[in-house]
Amino acid sequence: MKAGIVGLPNVGKSTLFNCLSNAKAQSANFPFCTIEPNIGVVNVPDPRINKLEELVKPERVQMATVDIVDIAGLVKGASKGEGLGNQFLGNIRECNAIIHVLRCFDNDNIVHVDGSVDPIRDKETIDIELQLKDLETVEKRLEKVKKAAKTGNKDAQVEAALLERIREALLQAKSARTIVAQNNDEEELLEDFQLITAKPVLYVCNVDENSAVNGNVYVDKVKELVKDENAEVIILSVGAEADITELETYEERQVFLEDMGLTEPGSAVLIRAAYKLLNLQTYFTAGVKEVRAWTIKVGDTAPKAAGVIHTDFEKGFIRAEVIAYQDFVNYGSEAKVKEAGKLRVEGKEYIVKDGDVMHFRFNV
């Protein structure tokens, strides 16, 4: 599961990617600096794993991770191949969610591809390019499906009706994610279409250091614009985040954050938001050898969760022994949780909850 960072050239995408991944993507003051998409495997900050480490004192700790992709800047006309359009749109298509970076700061030393700072215009430029690409995809597919629908094929008729609804939305400059599936068939079709604008999105307003806590007029405009989109808006000073990553010690970083009025780096907030955007959650295994966070999809069953550790665990699943995270913390150890009768035994139908501490029994 990957979240792709998109935006116009020079809005701070590669610098943000560097902050998130510590993979030093080249960042420079000109467009198309990032040509191949850089992929960073990023630890998901989670205070719960620190608490489990404190209680269990394991030999090693393994955090959950999320893949972040730095995609080169889109420009007007990308859907028709302008700039490096087709390649970039292909890179976005391969991601599962979109982190859309908007420039919300003034700085005469950093050129803007359109000559002035206007995050609303920038957002619309990207949206239109992605919508035009999706429109092209939808119209091609509709042409084929309509022929089958005319012969009385029921599946083709359902698909054609859904494609018409999406086409209508795109022509009104609305993204495919505004289309709500009316049943399971439509839900599966929407997934199958692989439309770029159907992907979930969060907006990152890249601000100057002084606006990192409360934002500024640009941020207010963005929030107003996206209020009906059911999308999160995160305020981040990418320049300040870059400075934080250069500091050697935790103490130095904390002093820097306090001076800015922040309790944690904005990048930590963003990584957790990206994880949630991808519909991911965490369960833990906790033993003296290792405390580990495992990544699963929201709604996964116990056997599916077991399969993340090893496919044999899923195939031969017998049961899961489950401790709620809060119970583990309250009682302080697995033994004490058992004594208190708080360890549960769950079967194949159990839907794993975020933060569950689990142990699997299996037989292959």
Side-chain angles (χ1 to χ4, degrees):
M1 300 290 280
K2 297 184 290 197
I5 302 176
V6 306
L8 291 180
N10 289 355
V11 296
K13 298 183 309 303
S14 292
T15 309
L16 174 60
F17 175 80
N18 290 341
C19 298
L20 296 179
S21 66
N22 291 328
K24 296 295 177 191
Q26 183 190 5
S27 62
N29 187 15
F30 55 87
F32 308 132
C33 170
T34 314
I35 293 173
E36 289 302 318
N38 293 288
I39 299 179
V41 181
V42 182
N43 283 334
V44 179
D46 190 335
R48 295 175 301 183
I49 202 163
N50 303 336
K51 189 67 187 168
L52 289 172
E53 181 185 8
E54 195 184 297
L55 295 170
V56 179
K57 298 178 175 54
E59 288 173 22
R60 61 180 178 270
V61 174
Q62 183 84 38
M63 296 171 79
T65 61
V66 62
D67 287 0
I68 304 288
V69 186
D70 177 26
I71 295 166
L74 261 79
V75 292
K76 216 171 277 183
S79 59
K80 298 283 177 261
E82 286 296 322
L84 298 166
N86 292 330
Q87 188 184 335
F88 299 162
L89 290 161
N91 294 336
I92 297 169
R93 201 182 293 283
E94 286 164 21
C95 292
N96 308 91
I98 293 172
I99 298 168
H100 188 158
V101 182
L102 295 164
R103 178 171 168 175
C104 295
F105 66 90
D106 294 305
N107 184 334
D108 294 340
N109 296 322
I110 299 175
V111 295
H112 190 291
V113 75
D114 285 333
S116 62
V117 177
D118 183 349
I120 304 306
R121 178 200 59 214
D122 295 355
K123 177 190 178 304
E124 285 169 355
T125 298
I126 298 279
D127 284 351
I128 287 166
E129 293 308 323
L130 301 185
Q131 287 159 4
L132 285 170
K133 197 66 189 169
D134 277 351
L135 186 61
E136 191 184 301
T137 306
V138 165
E139 287 182 334
K140 274 183 192 167
R141 188 154 179 158
L142 194 53
E143 210 176 301
K144 285 181 191 169
V145 170
K146 271 182 172 174
K147 287 173 188 169
K150 277 177 186 166
T151 66
N153 182 315
K154 290 274 190 289
D155 289 344
Q157 286 169 356
V158 169
E159 187 173 333
L162 178 59
L163 286 165
E164 287 285 12
R165 269 167 50 216
I166 297 169
R167 181 176 177 274
E168 196 51 45
L170 291 166
L171 287 169
Q172 291 172 26
K174 292 178 185 170
S175 292
R177 72 181 73 86
T178 61
I179 300 294
V180 180
Q182 292 173 353
N183 50 48
N184 287 347
D185 289 347
E186 286 198 350
E187 214 164 281
E188 281 173 26
L189 281 168
L190 275 171
E191 211 164 296
D192 186 44
F193 294 161
Q194 287 288 292
L195 298 173
I196 298 170
T197 67
K199 297 178 192 296
V201 64
L202 72 83
Y203 297 99
V204 175
C205 292
N206 181 12
V207 298
D208 58 278
E209 193 175 315
N210 295 330
S211 306
V213 178
N214 299 315
N216 55 28
V217 288
Y218 294 132
V219 175
D220 295 340
K221 285 178 183 175
V222 171
K223 284 183 174 175
E224 181 59 29
L225 183 69
V226 307
K227 68 175 192 289
D228 298 328
E229 277 193 39
N230 190 27
E232 192 171 351
V233 176
I234 288 173
I235 304 167
L236 202 65
S237 172
V238 175
E241 295 287 325
D243 291 341
I244 291 168
T245 60
E246 296 299 322
L247 297 172
E248 294 295 320
T249 67
Y250 173 78
E251 286 72 24
E252 285 176 313
R253 289 194 288 273
Q254 286 307 111
V255 169
F256 192 109
L257 287 167
E258 279 167 28
D259 287 347
M260 286 177 67
L262 298 170
T263 53
E264 65 175 342
S267 54
V269 177
L270 175 56
I271 294 163
R272 284 197 297 269
Y275 194 69
K276 189 175 153 196
L277 190 69
L278 289 163
N279 203 31
L280 300 175
Q281 66 178 19
T282 301
Y283 78 86
F284 301 100
T285 50
V288 287
K289 287 274 182 207
E290 181 182 69
V291 164
R292 182 163 182 164
W294 299 90
T295 299
I296 57 170
K297 279 189 170 182
V298 173
D300 275 355
T301 58
K304 266 229 168 111
V308 173
I309 299 176
H310 198 288
T311 49
D312 284 352
F313 282 31
E314 184 173 2
K315 280 181 202 157
F317 180 89
I318 299 169
R319 65 177 185 271
E321 293 171 1
V322 184
I323 302 168
Y325 168 76
Q326 208 47 59
D327 285 339
F328 200 107
V329 171
N330 290 347
Y331 292 97
S333 72
E334 189 177 320
K336 285 181 181 163
V337 169
K338 282 180 182 171
E339 274 172 38
K342 292 287 186 181
L343 182 141
R344 306 190 316 276
V345 174
E346 300 287 359
K348 290 182 177 179
E349 305 303 313
Y350 178 66
I351 306 290
V352 179
K353 293 181 179 63
D354 187 50
D356 277 348
V357 181
M358 304 184 79
H359 184 70
F360 299 104
R361 301 287 177 194
F362 71 103
N363 182 32
V364 175

